[in-house]
Amino acid sequence: QVQLVESGGGLVQPGGSLRLACTASRSILNFNAMDWYRQAPGKERELVGSITSGGNTNSADSVKGRFTISRDNAKNTVYLQMNSLKPEDTAVYYCHAWRQVAGPRSHYWGQGTQVTVSS
């Protein structure tokens, strides 16, 4: 079974930065894409951004220009660099990966890491 483990969350002041990491228990090249989602209290989980196995990225309008997704295949790790953080970025951030070879997609989730932006 694939495991995804997030790290790097914490408390940061508005305008600050954090880098989240998501490390997989197997080669991330096995996944079609990996994503970062977040869920704030009382809100639905939303997609923050994605990176494909080929390295193509996209991100939500709310974080464009502030958040960057990258990957290190050798370390089986995907990163979310978050700059210019705002209080509304406060949420639990989840790593997600999916794989589809034939038939339905297989989905994998991490346990989440809390990010709190507050002065």
Side-chain angles (χ1 to χ4, degrees):
Q1 182 68 4
V2 175
Q3 290 186 325
L4 302 176
V5 179
E6 301 100 335
S7 60
L11 173 64
V12 64
Q13 292 186 343
S17 298
L18 281 176
R19 188 177 78 160
L20 305 183
C22 171
T23 300
S25 58
R26 63 189 293 184
S27 173
I28 61 175
L29 291 173
N30 287 304
F31 303 121
N32 296 76
M34 298 185 70
D35 318 294
W36 286 97
Y37 283 78
R38 67 185 181 186
Q39 187 166 21
K43 294 188 177 181
E44 293 187 353
R45 191 172 295 190
E46 63 172 352
L47 178 64
V48 176
S50 302
I51 185 166
T52 68
S53 57
N56 295 316
T57 62
N58 63 64
S59 57
D61 288 342
S62 59
V63 305
K64 277 182 180 175
R66 300 189 298 123
F67 291 10
T68 302
I69 297 177
S70 61
R71 58 192 291 150
D72 185 334
N73 295 331
K75 295 183 178 179
N76 295 331
T77 300
V78 170
Y79 301 98
L80 181 66
Q81 178 66 45
M82 304 185 294
N83 299 327
S84 302
L85 281 160
K86 304 175 182 180
E88 51 263 42
D89 295 318
T90 296
V92 178
Y93 284 72
Y94 296 91
C95 180
H96 168 260
W98 64 272
R99 172 179 166 84
Q100 184 176 31
V101 177
R105 291 184 179 183
S106 297
H107 295 272
Y108 308 95
W109 289 93
Q111 81 289 351
T113 186
Q114 177 71 46
V115 171
T116 302
V117 184
S118 176
S119 54

